[in-house]
């Protein structure tokens, strides 16, 4: 692995995992020293992180980890609404049963996973990722997959807000199960609606986590409302 790729992978994972919190200052000199590389691969990694939208530029050699504001979360979920409901509908029309039958069995055991603490939560999120991959493959749309990949990069930061809310995660597991059942039933409208319901509830949880005691922004009329 090239040094620039390694630096990018480390910084990207640290941002997604929350080890580098929103607003954290990243400088070329500091990161080069910490990761024991020259400044050139750090500069290359910074360019890729900027393209991902995970950081923003404060100066040519200094970046800030992007904030997760309520307004940005709403914008993200507006995009997820458009992309993921369509992907679920296409998956319902084009799916192969086997991957979704396997995921359905695993989802039935999700409540047990969530009783295992952080390790179980990590396994649950891996299951959610497996469902996303299955939907992408079944939808069979390269353009949609590319758009979803970028969207999910930022969604992974937001979803960690709920990682210590076992009740919400159990609800989400049931919502994912509804999506899978609709796909297996070859019902695109039901799959789209089940995805819509899941996104609506996830958005409500995310906004509550960001501003637990303050009024939160609501999606524009007609977006993510059940």
């Amino acid at each position: 692995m090239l040094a620039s790729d390694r630096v990018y992978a480390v910084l990207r994972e640290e941002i997604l995992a929350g080890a580098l919190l929103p607003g954290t200052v990243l400088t070329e000199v500091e990161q080069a020293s910490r990761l024991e590389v020259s400044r050139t691969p750090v500069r290359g990694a910074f360019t890729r992180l900027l393209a991902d939208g995970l950081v923003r530029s404060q100066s040519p050699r200094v970046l800030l980890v992007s904030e997760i504001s309520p307004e940005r979360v709403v914008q993200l979920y507006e995009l997820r609404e458009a992309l993921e409901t369509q992907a679920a509908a296409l998956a319902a029309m084009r799916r192969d049963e086997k991957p979704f039958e396997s995921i359905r069995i695993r989802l039935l055991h999700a409540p047990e996973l969530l009783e295992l603490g952080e390790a179980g939560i990590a396994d649950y999120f891996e299951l959610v990722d497996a469902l996303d991959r299955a939907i992408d493959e079944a939808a069979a749309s390269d353009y949609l997959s590319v758009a979803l990949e970028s969207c999910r990069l930022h969604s992974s930061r937001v979803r960690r807000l709920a990682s210590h809310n076992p009740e919400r995660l159990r609800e989400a597991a049931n919502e994912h199960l509804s999506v899978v059942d609709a796909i297996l039933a070859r019902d695109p409208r039901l799959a789209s609606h089940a995805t819509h319901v899941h996104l609506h509830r996830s958005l409500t949880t995310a906004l509550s986590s960001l501003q637990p005691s303050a009024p939160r922004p609501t999606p524009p009329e007609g977006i993510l409302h059940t």
Side-chain angles (χ1 to χ4, degrees):
M1 179 183 291
L2 296 175
S4 181
D5 292 337
R6 180 174 66 83
V7 172
Y8 168 71
V10 169
L11 293 176
R12 180 180 182 272
E13 178 56 30
E14 289 178 343
I15 293 171
L16 295 179
L20 292 174
L21 296 172
T24 298
V25 177
L26 304 177
T27 67
E28 283 187 8
V29 173
E30 180 184 8
Q31 297 306 316
S33 175
R34 181 173 76 94
L35 300 174
E36 300 180 339
V37 296
S38 70
R39 293 171 63 179
T40 299
V42 174
R43 192 173 302 127
F46 277 11
T47 298
R48 294 172 68 180
L49 292 170
L50 280 167
D52 289 338
L54 294 174
V55 297
R56 59 185 177 86
S57 178
Q58 187 177 50
S59 71
R61 299 291 181 264
V62 180
L63 303 180
L64 295 176
V65 177
S66 298
E67 296 181 357
I68 305 177
S69 68
E71 292 75 17
R72 288 175 63 86
V73 170
V74 168
Q75 292 171 14
L76 175 63
Y77 273 80
E78 289 173 349
L79 180 58
R80 290 186 67 184
E81 166 79 357
L83 298 177
E84 293 190 28
T85 55
Q86 177 65 9
L90 290 174
M93 291 186 285
R94 302 169 179 173
R95 57 82 177 144
D96 174 19
E97 287 185 1
K98 290 184 179 179
F100 292 99
E101 288 175 342
S102 174
I103 289 171
R104 186 180 193 281
I105 292 172
R106 296 172 64 189
L107 281 170
L108 289 173
H109 294 285
E112 300 166 22
L113 275 181
L114 297 173
E115 295 296 326
L116 301 178
E118 293 298 328
I121 290 172
D123 288 343
Y124 168 72
F125 281 149
E126 288 182 7
L127 174 55
V128 173
D129 290 341
L131 174 57
D132 287 341
R133 290 192 296 269
I135 290 174
D136 288 354
E137 184 174 346
S141 171
D142 292 341
Y143 292 112
L144 188 55
S145 293
V146 169
L148 281 168
E149 181 179 2
S150 175
C151 191
R152 286 173 182 149
L153 179 67
H154 296 277
S155 296
S156 66
R157 295 182 73 198
V158 176
R159 79 181 184 186
R160 290 183 185 276
L161 296 171
S163 63
H164 297 291
N165 185 341
E167 181 180 355
R168 172 56 201 149
L169 290 177
R170 285 192 292 270
E171 292 173 350
N174 286 329
E175 292 157 15
H176 288 305
L177 187 59
S178 295
V179 174
V180 170
D181 284 343
I183 290 172
L184 285 170
R186 290 194 183 277
D187 190 328
R189 292 182 62 185
L190 185 58
S192 178
H193 179 70
T195 302
H196 165 88
V197 170
H198 169 65
L199 291 173
H200 171 74
R201 293 175 178 170
S202 295
L203 173 59
T204 299
T205 299
L207 292 175
S208 296
S209 299
L210 285 171
Q211 292 188 325
S213 60
R216 64 178 186 268
T218 55
E221 188 66 28
I223 299 294
L224 293 174
H225 284 285
T226 56

